Amino acid sequence: MANIQEIARLAGVSTATISRVINGHPHVSESTRKKVIELIEQLDYVPNGNAISLKKGATCLIGIVAVAFNPLLIRFMQAFTQSAEKHGFNITLFITNGQAEKELVALEMLKRKQLDAIVCVLRSNEWNVIESYTKYGPIVTWQRLENSNIPSVFMDQYEAYCTGLEHLYSKGYRKILSIYPMPNGLNTKERMRAHSDFVLKYGIPAEKFPVFQGKTLVRDGEELARWWISQINRPDAVFCANDEVAAGFITVIRRLGFSVPGDVGIIGFDNTEVAHLLDLTTIHYPVDQQAENAFTIIQNMIDTTTKELIPLNYTLVERQST
Amino acid sequence: MANIQEIARLAGVSTATISRVINGHPHVSESTRKKVIELIEQLDYVPNGNAISLKKGATCLIGIVAVAFNPLLIRFMQAFTQSAEKHGFNITLFITNGQAEKELVALEMLKRKQLDAIVCVLRSNEWNVIESYTKYGPIVTWQRLENSNIPSVFMDQYEAYCTGLEHLYSKGYRKILSIYPMPNGLNTKERMRAHSDFVLKYGIPAEKFPVFQGKTLVRDGEELARWWISQINRPDAVFCANDEVAAGFITVIRRLGFSVPGDVGIIGFDNTEVAHLLDLTTIHYPVDQQAENAFTIIQNMIDTTTKELIPLNYTLVERQST
DNA sequence: TTGTACGCGTTATCAG
DNA sequence: CTGATAACGCGTACAA
């Protein structure tokens, strides 16, 4: 494979000139530029990327680290990739399946200068381990963390959940059942707090509904519907853990002849494709903007600029289910 | 950041010795080895990956190129990544959304030696364009291609489809309806050919069923069920395009009081999670082994070895739906 | 067992 | 407008 020296030799000029031509630098006579370009095309020459990386100390490669695939994560990845691509960065992927060592592979590559930055979407190691690598390059995360100086694009769900509850209240619903995502998860805690504050605020009498947790699938929503139908004292509104659960719920409820929002109001979370499809009221979750911000943060750290971040806001998307 | 020369200077030895210690080469006295290792840890030194890549002419990075995400592709990716990891390779991802230029980014990185190989799962450029890059490194694909010397782990579906049809026949089904995936797709063509050969072979009288194509979603299966119920002359078995369609079909059919496999036999394709869940007869599709083979092919090309490939076979997975 | 010195392929500074 | 040459950081013949 031809290298820059061979081109230089054949063109009868120095490597410096070749470099100038390749990188579009000024101060090259039109005639030599022509000749060089011709030669480059003839020999099918391209610069060696590793040599450039070595010289520049950067690879234009960003690592994305995550535990596993899921629809929200894929959305994040795609949005991040899109931002990164615009600025010439490519993505290398590390799916850890919860194995800390795989995450360390990525962190080590950062240290060895094979990665310019890392987005640790869902971590596997302890934060202090990850933090010890921040000196080798930008590391950004999607999760919340305390007592750490790793930038994060995490969003607290308390306010958003309140907004959803207030919406239901304003629509006249009083017997509201909340379905929570993963138990022990931070999001579940925040939503529970929002719900109990809400109950307190309006002095809503306590209902004897069971606590539903760890419900995140369409299937869970379907089961929930069967539970709802079997009850004598039914909730008049259900705030689902996400749009999938809401989708399962509304589908079964309607199929069996009940009316939404008449017999029961339903609200989802995330504003995914299915919420649009089934006309579900939901909370819009700006994953794409979070991803964009994640890239902007990295960019700011690399170029020491201070490009503004997009303000992140949940918004209520009101549709026919409430 | 410390480099090898600094370690050498501080240890009072040459860089060659440091290199030997790092790479576990013999012929280093125990005492100097100890001293060097200590110094390396003290200074938190790691070799610069780009320098090594430049020197070795390899990055241990393999690109995966695909049009978009889908469950089968994710399975392929995960299996491939697992094989690659065992041999110290990492994956960088290129999702093209059908844009040929994005695929070219990957191909150019191969040319520039930033990628050691490429798995072109679902291509965006014409084959001859991709083929022109094979001289820069191994390129393997998941798709079928003609008149080309790009290795492929594609599997023809004709035999597999025949097996499924024979199975239905042996179970006594005679009015079999086939639901096909994407129109114009090679797989659809092969399955159609298998079906018409099957009809001919057993002299099955022609039925006036419509041709269903482009059905690949749960939703499609649900619609199909409503169509089936509305018919007077119903198929007694349905060979679905994939497990998702079969899942939608069987769920609705059963919910509305029909019996499977009594009223209708159902068979899916791919043997995904949902087929197991709903106890669907299906055709097992060895994606994981295809991915392993893809890596083995690459490995063989890089190391000029001739490691054996895993034989790829579809198998009928008989369950309760037939 | 250890060291010297060159090559990997570029970029960039500085002199001309 | 152009060229020599010093980095960038490492691996490895070859010599000692």
Side-chain angles (χ1 to χ4, degrees):
Chain A
M1 205 85 324
N3 59 18
I4 202 173
Q5 321 222 23
E6 187 167 347
I7 306 286
R9 193 170 48 77
L10 265 59
V13 298
S14 77
T15 61
T17 300
I18 309 295
S19 179
R20 285 194 265 261
V21 171
I22 291 170
N23 298 297
H25 289 176
H27 310 309
V28 181
S29 79
E30 204 47 44
S31 63
T32 53
R33 182 185 301 276
K34 275 250 167 60
K35 186 166 48 174
V36 168
I37 287 177
E38 207 169 303
L39 222 39
I40 284 177
E41 281 175 1
Q42 261 181 41
L43 296 201
D44 192 31
Y45 164 75
V46 281
N48 180 307
N50 295 131
I52 296 175
S53 292
L54 172 60
K55 182 69 193 166
K56 297 217 166 146
T59 54
C60 287
L61 231 44
I62 297 177
I64 294 188
V65 180
V67 173
F69 282 106
N70 70 54
L72 220 54
L73 202 155
I74 289 176
R75 233 173 90 191
F76 183 91
M77 273 186 45
Q78 291 194 313
F80 186 88
T81 304
Q82 210 159 14
S83 294
E85 265 169 3
K86 276 186 209 145
H87 298 266
F89 285 87
N90 285 107
I91 301 306
T92 125
L93 197 59
F94 301 84
I95 299 299
T96 64
N97 294 312
Q99 294 175 40
E101 320 91 63
K102 291 204 186 155
E103 192 170 78
L104 280 174
V105 172
L107 294 167
E108 283 295 322
M109 281 179 70
L110 181 70
K111 189 170 176 181
R112 291 165 160 255
K113 302 216 169 272
Q114 297 179 271
L115 252 31
D116 289 354
I118 286 180
V119 184
C120 192
V121 186
L122 294 175
R123 76 162 212 278
S124 295
N125 284 275
E126 296 300 322
W127 284 122
N128 61 341
V129 174
I130 297 171
E131 198 176 349
S132 71
Y133 280 85
T134 53
K135 56 175 168 247
Y136 307 117
I139 300 178
V140 178
T141 179
W142 196 33
Q143 296 181 280
R144 185 177 87 159
L145 29 67
E146 297 148 352
N147 316 323
S148 165
N149 42 32
I150 302 174
S152 168
V153 292
F154 170 84
M155 293 177 69
D156 191 298
Q157 300 194 337
Y158 177 86
E159 287 294 341
Y161 209 73
C162 289
T163 307
L165 291 167
E166 294 284 350
H167 168 71
L168 290 174
Y169 191 87
S170 76
K171 287 287 181 176
Y173 298 108
R174 293 295 178 272
K175 300 195 319 197
I176 300 171
L177 171 66
S178 276
I179 310 298
Y180 300 107
M182 290 313 157
N184 306 322
L186 187 62
N187 291 338
T188 295
K189 281 182 199 148
E190 293 296 306
R191 294 185 193 191
M192 282 181 165
R193 192 161 64 84
H195 195 129
S196 67
D197 286 357
F198 167 76
V199 166
L200 234 58
K201 173 177 175 187
Y202 289 107
I204 295 173
E207 301 284 348
K208 279 279 160 251
F209 300 136
V211 176
F212 290 92
Q213 286 190 63
K215 307 297 182 190
T216 58
L217 309 174
V218 170
R219 180 161 305 274
D220 293 324
E222 292 169 354
E223 265 173 33
L224 186 65
R226 288 188 277 275
W227 172 87
W228 183 88
I229 290 166
S230 73
Q231 297 301 296
I232 298 171
N233 177 32
R234 291 172 182 150
D236 60 0
V238 179
F239 199 152
C240 294
N242 61 28
D243 293 333
E244 274 63 51
V245 174
F249 187 67
I250 198 170
T251 305
V252 173
I253 286 282
R254 281 200 167 133
R255 182 174 298 139
L256 298 184
F258 292 92
S259 118
V260 177
D263 294 324
V264 60
I266 302 177
I267 174 167
F269 209 101
D270 293 348
N271 195 27
T272 54
E273 198 55 38
V274 74
H276 168 76
L277 195 70
L278 300 182
D279 221 2
L280 281 163
T281 294
T282 189
I283 307 287
H284 175 74
Y285 194 92
V287 188
D288 295 359
Q289 281 89 318
Q290 289 184 293
E292 275 189 60
N293 279 354
F295 180 75
T296 304
I297 291 172
I298 288 173
Q299 216 186 352
N300 282 339
M301 293 176 82
I302 290 177
D303 307 338
T304 54
T305 53
T306 53
K307 225 176 128 188
E308 295 266 332
L309 300 183
I310 305 167
L312 296 177
N313 291 307
Y314 291 105
T315 49
L316 179 80
V317 180
E318 189 175 347
R319 299 207 181 90
Q320 293 302 321
S321 68
T322 53
Chain B
M1 206 85 323
N3 59 17
I4 201 172
Q5 321 222 25
E6 187 166 347
I7 306 286
R9 193 168 49 74
L10 265 56
V13 298
S14 76
T15 61
T17 301
I18 309 295
S19 179
R20 290 191 188 101
V21 171
I22 291 170
N23 298 299
H25 289 177
H27 311 309
V28 180
S29 79
E30 203 47 42
S31 63
T32 54
R33 183 185 299 278
K34 275 250 168 63
K35 186 164 51 177
V36 168
I37 287 179
E38 206 170 305
L39 222 40
I40 284 178
E41 283 176 359
Q42 262 181 39
L43 296 200
D44 193 31
Y45 164 76
V46 281
N48 180 306
N50 295 130
I52 295 175
S53 293
L54 172 59
K55 182 72 192 168
K56 297 215 166 150
T59 54
C60 287
L61 233 42
I62 297 177
I64 294 188
V65 180
V67 173
F69 282 106
N70 71 53
L72 220 55
L73 202 156
I74 289 176
R75 234 173 89 191
F76 184 91
M77 273 187 44
Q78 291 194 313
F80 185 87
T81 304
Q82 208 158 15
S83 293
E85 266 170 3
K86 276 186 209 145
H87 298 266
F89 285 87
N90 285 107
I91 302 306
T92 124
L93 197 59
F94 301 84
I95 299 299
T96 64
N97 294 311
Q99 294 176 39
E101 320 92 61
K102 290 205 187 155
E103 192 170 79
L104 279 173
V105 172
L107 294 167
E108 282 296 322
M109 281 180 69
L110 181 70
K111 190 170 176 181
R112 293 167 157 249
K113 301 212 170 278
Q114 298 179 270
L115 252 31
D116 289 354
I118 285 180
V119 184
C120 194
V121 185
L122 294 175
R123 76 163 211 279
S124 295
N125 284 275
E126 296 301 322
W127 283 121
N128 61 343
V129 175
I130 297 171
E131 198 176 350
S132 72
Y133 280 86
T134 54
K135 56 175 168 247
Y136 306 118
I139 300 179
V140 178
T141 178
W142 196 34
Q143 296 181 279
R144 186 176 85 161
L145 29 68
E146 297 147 353
N147 316 323
S148 165
N149 42 31
I150 303 175
S152 168
V153 291
F154 170 84
M155 294 177 69
D156 192 297
Q157 302 194 336
Y158 177 86
E159 287 295 340
Y161 210 74
C162 289
T163 307
L165 291 167
E166 294 285 351
H167 168 71
L168 290 174
Y169 191 87
S170 75
K171 288 287 179 176
Y173 298 109
R174 292 295 178 272
K175 301 196 316 197
I176 299 171
L177 171 66
S178 276
I179 310 298
Y180 299 107
M182 290 314 159
N184 306 322
L186 186 62
N187 291 339
T188 295
K189 281 182 199 148
E190 293 297 304
R191 294 185 192 191
M192 283 181 165
R193 191 161 65 83
H195 195 129
S196 69
D197 287 357
F198 167 77
V199 166
L200 234 58
K201 173 177 175 187
Y202 289 106
I204 295 171
E207 301 284 348
K208 279 280 160 253
F209 301 136
V211 176
F212 291 92
Q213 285 190 63
K215 307 298 182 191
T216 58
L217 309 175
V218 170
R219 179 161 304 274
D220 294 323
E222 293 169 353
E223 264 172 35
L224 186 66
R226 288 188 276 276
W227 171 87
W228 183 87
I229 290 165
S230 74
Q231 297 302 297
I232 298 169
N233 178 31
R234 291 171 182 151
D236 60 2
V238 179
F239 200 152
C240 294
N242 61 29
D243 293 333
E244 273 65 52
V245 175
F249 187 67
I250 198 171
T251 305
V252 172
I253 286 283
R254 281 198 167 137
R255 181 174 299 138
L256 298 184
F258 293 91
S259 119
V260 178
D263 295 323
V264 60
I266 303 177
I267 174 168
F269 210 102
D270 294 348
N271 194 27
T272 54
E273 198 56 37
V274 74
H276 167 76
L277 194 69
L278 299 182
D279 221 0
L280 282 162
T281 295
T282 188
I283 307 287
H284 175 74
Y285 194 93
V287 188
D288 295 359
Q289 280 89 319
Q290 288 184 293
E292 274 188 62
N293 279 353
F295 180 75
T296 304
I297 292 173
I298 288 174
Q299 215 187 352
N300 282 340
M301 292 176 82
I302 290 178
D303 307 337
T304 55
T305 53
T306 53
K307 225 176 128 189
E308 294 267 331
L309 300 184
I310 304 167
L312 296 177
N313 291 307
Y314 290 104
T315 50
L316 179 80
V317 180
E318 189 175 347
R319 299 208 181 91
Q320 293 302 320
S321 68
T322 54

